[in-house]
């Protein structure tokens, strides 16, 4: 039987294939699109959705306040409250109670 000269080439090919599989497995776990990055992206998405919900609530509150201050039909209580708080104007017989929003 003659020795096969191409045997080291096969061995090199198998080692290269196994090395490539190990590298791909490692990238799957810790790479830029791997499992760790996916869980971090999921956490960031949840955080951003909470921030977005808070911003929507704040926007709705501001829109309601703007609607109440519309010059065509302004809410007299809100106008009086803003005048007294911003200009520090009150009658001598009034009692001012401040409240936090």
């Amino acid at each position: 039987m003659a020795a096969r000269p191409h045997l080291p080439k096969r061995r090199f090919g198998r080692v290269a294939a196994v090395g490539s599989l190990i590298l791909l497995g490692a990238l799957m776990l810790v790479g830029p699109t791997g499992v760790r990055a996916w869980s971090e992206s999921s956490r960031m998405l949840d955080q951003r959705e909470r921030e977005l919900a808070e911003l929507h609530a704040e926007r709705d509150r501001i829109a309601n306040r703007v609607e109440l201050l519309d010059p065509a039909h302004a809410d007299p209580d809100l106008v009086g409250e803003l005048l007294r708080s911003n200009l520090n104007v009150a009658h001598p017989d009034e009692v001012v109670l401040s409240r936090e929003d």
Side-chain angles (χ1 to χ4, degrees), residues 6 8 22-23 30 32 37 39 41 48 50 58 66 76 84 88-89:
H6 61 281
I22 291 172
L23 178 65
V30 295
S39 63
S41 296
R48 297 283 164 77
R50 283 192 304 272
E58 179 72 12
V66 167
R84 286 179 175 82
N88 293 324
V89 177

Side-chain angles (χ1 to χ4, degrees), residues 5 10 16 22 24 38-40 42 45 50 53 63 68 77 90 100:
R10 275 191 190 172
I22 291 172
L24 287 175
W38 179 76
S39 63
E40 178 68 19
S42 176
L45 178 64
R50 283 192 304 272
L68 289 174
D77 291 333
E100 296 186 25

Side-chain angles (χ1 to χ4, degrees), residues 1-10:
M1 293 197 164
R4 294 186 175 182
H6 61 281
L7 187 59
K9 288 183 183 179
R10 275 191 190 172

Side-chain angles (χ1 to χ4, degrees), residues 13-92:
R14 288 179 186 163
V15 169
V18 169
S20 297
L21 287 175
I22 291 172
L23 178 65
L24 287 175
L27 285 175
M28 182 184 75
L29 293 176
V30 295
T33 58
V35 175
R36 264 179 73 187
W38 179 76
S39 63
E40 178 68 19
S41 296
S42 176
R43 186 185 65 78
M44 289 298 292
L45 178 64
D46 292 340
Q47 178 184 355
R48 297 283 164 77
E49 285 176 346
R50 283 192 304 272
E51 290 175 6
L52 185 62
E54 291 173 5
L55 290 174
H56 279 297
E58 179 72 12
R59 183 191 65 192
D60 292 341
R61 187 187 67 77
I62 291 171
N64 182 37
R65 197 156 174 104
V66 167
E67 184 179 326
L68 289 174
L69 290 173
D70 182 21
H73 54 280
D75 182 34
D77 291 333
L78 182 59
V79 170
E81 176 187 334
L82 289 175
L83 283 174
R84 286 179 175 82
S85 67
N86 292 337
L87 299 177
N88 293 324
V89 177
H91 291 286

